[in-house]
Amino acid sequence: MSKVFEQLGTCPVIPVIVIENLEHAVPMAEALLEGGLEALEVTLRTPDALAAIESIARALPDAMVGAGTLIESAQFQQVVDAGARFGVSPCLTDSLATAAQACDLPWLPGAVTATEVQAARERGITDLKFFPAGTSGGPGQLKSLAAVYADVRFCPTGGVSADNLDSYLSIPAVVAVGGSWLTPADAVAAGDWGAVTRIAREACAAAVSSTS
Ligand code: 3PG
């Protein structure tokens, strides 16, 4: 059910995308791919999110487009039908885990405490989103969890940015980071896709140097 991280490609950075305007979906995805990102998480927080996933999957078959903010069981089949190749949830519950398994969708549920990580492991899930990272103890909390759960891999999101991604990626258990800083609202509203590509390229360069 995990196996999200195997699909990430060479750049361990996942943009967390909120689509306010469906017309932005494909050019935004192109700009991010141009900047070296390979996996894109489109959050189900806006009415056009599913259509955006479908458009990106159709226009850019090489992009690894996934769906985020999966908080209802029924959403799992919907995003698979739209072309999502992975799913992300802010938490892990029995019903969400059952839905992810039923669709065979690689899934990254959220966990920030030892109890939550333990519950995931007991389900055989060892790839986790650490969310909301910044307000849940940040790199210090993550290091403490990783010391206990040596077989668990994390992707912190929530408060991650260009300014602090190295403090997460320098932790061996952190195999990727994610966030919305890669698609700033002003650049997106202005259709400044060159700026989005630049931010993505800088993030990839910083990420690769943090992990090498
Ligand atoms: C997420 O869903 O992962 C977060 O909302 C992203 O948080 P950020 O906006 O602080 O990057």
Side-chain angles (χ1 to χ4, degrees):
M1 206 192 300
S2 290
K3 303 279 181 288
V4 174
F5 297 139
E6 276 67 23
Q7 305 182 56
L8 269 184
T10 51
C11 180
V13 177
I14 304 175
V16 176
I17 298 169
V18 179
I19 293 287
E20 301 290 357
N21 177 344
L22 184 54
E23 287 178 9
H24 291 157
V26 172
M28 187 194 297
E30 282 171 334
L32 292 164
L33 295 181
E34 177 72 23
L37 304 184
E38 293 173 48
L40 318 173
E41 175 188 335
V42 177
T43 58
L44 295 198
R45 296 181 201 174
T46 55
D48 285 331
L50 265 185
I53 292 169
E54 206 166 350
S55 304
I56 295 168
R58 192 173 313 125
L60 303 166
D62 290 339
M64 191 181 114
V65 61
T69 322
L70 293 169
I71 55 172
E72 308 281 350
S73 301
Q75 291 171 329
F76 284 77
Q77 190 59 53
Q78 291 167 359
V79 302
V80 168
D81 292 344
R85 290 160 60 178
F86 68 96
V88 183
S89 297
C91 63
L92 189 156
T93 64
D94 284 343
S95 54
L96 295 182
T98 302
Q101 200 156 22
C103 296
D104 203 20
L105 182 68
W107 183 48
L108 211 55
V112 285
T113 66
T115 301
E116 292 166 358
V117 174
Q118 179 70 28
R121 274 184 89 256
E122 288 181 12
R123 287 192 159 273
I125 299 173
T126 52
D127 285 354
L128 294 170
K129 167 175 159 124
F130 180 74
F131 170 82
T135 52
S136 303
Q141 168 86 351
L142 221 161
K143 262 184 217 162
S144 300
L145 291 172
V148 176
Y149 294 106
D151 56 345
V152 177
R153 303 183 296 177
F154 295 94
C155 174
T157 77
V160 179
S161 70
D163 295 332
N164 63 9
L165 64 81
D166 57 328
S167 65
Y168 288 102
L169 280 167
S170 57
I171 304 168
V174 172
V175 294
V177 293
S180 62
W181 89 94
L182 297 140
T183 51
D186 52 350
V188 171
D192 187 353
W193 306 123
V196 171
T197 295
R198 269 195 307 282
I199 294 165
R201 197 167 282 140
E202 283 166 16
C204 279
V208 169
S209 76
S210 303
T211 50
S212 56

